[in-house]
Amino acid sequence: MTQTQPFETDSRTVTWATPGQGDLARLLELDGLAQLEAMRAGEMPHPPIMDTLGMTDMRVERGRVVVEMPAAEFHYNPLGSVHGGVISTMLDTAAACSVHTTLAVGEVYTSVDLTVKFLRPVTVGSGLLTCEGTVISRGRRTALAQAQLTDEAGRLVAHATSTCLIMRAGE
């Protein structure tokens, strides 16, 4: 029988605003940019995934979103680098939210796909990660967006493209 050795551990407590507390009817009276601005201002709760992953900032303007997050050990995979799913989540957040900023009152959207290219490893040494999402093309029913993730030194570490389906609320 093998005896396990105790490993040094760390812990983290995450708190978030319970989803559904915001007034969905009020949210749908705003266009997409105003919705994200209300979340940033604390007038509406932001998505819990931001707290779960430790995203620290989101700046928004029409057709463009920038999300920041310091790389942390709790993001690691077994090989000692930030898990690709964490990187993909940042890319998806920035790309999809850039589309969100273009929504008219009463419109909603969902991601159809996300294509990610990992270009270099990300570790705690990568520092503050910055992900910029921009809309490439916005049509009546679909939008194409891209996102670029850079480390604190400004090196491109990952890139993604995403297609989003745009619908009227309630469709």
Side-chain angles (χ1 to χ4, degrees):
M1 182 152 74
T2 310
Q3 294 229 345
T4 60
Q5 295 186 1
F7 295 103
E8 188 176 314
T9 62
D10 207 342
S11 66
R12 176 173 179 260
T13 301
V14 178
T15 57
W16 63 89
T18 304
Q21 289 186 88
D23 183 357
L24 184 58
R26 178 178 167 258
L27 196 65
L28 291 176
E29 291 173 354
L30 304 173
D31 69 21
L33 180 60
Q35 290 172 10
L36 293 179
E37 287 172 335
M39 289 175 198
R40 188 164 197 276
E43 298 164 9
M44 299 291 288
H46 61 261
I49 191 67
M50 293 184 71
D51 300 308
T52 303
L53 290 183
M55 293 181 193
T56 56
D57 194 17
M58 176 186 276
R59 297 181 300 280
V60 299
E61 60 186 70
R62 195 156 317 279
R64 181 177 176 267
V65 168
V66 177
V67 181
E68 292 180 345
M69 179 185 80
E73 285 182 342
F74 65 86
H75 296 136
Y76 274 18
N77 62 30
L79 297 175
S81 62
V82 173
H83 190 282
V86 172
I87 292 168
S88 296
T89 300
M90 280 198 75
L91 292 161
D92 180 54
T93 298
C97 285
S98 73
V99 171
H100 193 130
T101 67
T102 71
L103 297 177
V105 172
E107 284 184 325
V108 295
Y109 75 100
T110 189
S111 297
V112 173
D113 63 21
L114 180 71
T115 302
V116 176
K117 302 297 182 193
F118 302 100
L119 304 173
R120 62 184 331 124
V122 177
T123 65
V124 169
S126 301
L128 183 66
L129 304 174
T130 302
C131 194
E132 179 180 357
T134 55
V135 174
I136 297 170
S137 175
R138 166 60 154 90
R140 187 177 57 81
R141 296 289 290 177
T142 61
L144 177 64
Q146 67 174 348
Q148 294 190 7
L149 181 64
T150 56
D151 64 13
E152 195 161 334
R155 294 176 297 217
L156 184 64
V157 298
H159 177 269
T161 56
S162 177
T163 306
C164 293
L165 177 64
I166 300 161
M167 305 161 282
R168 298 295 305 164
E171 277 188 357

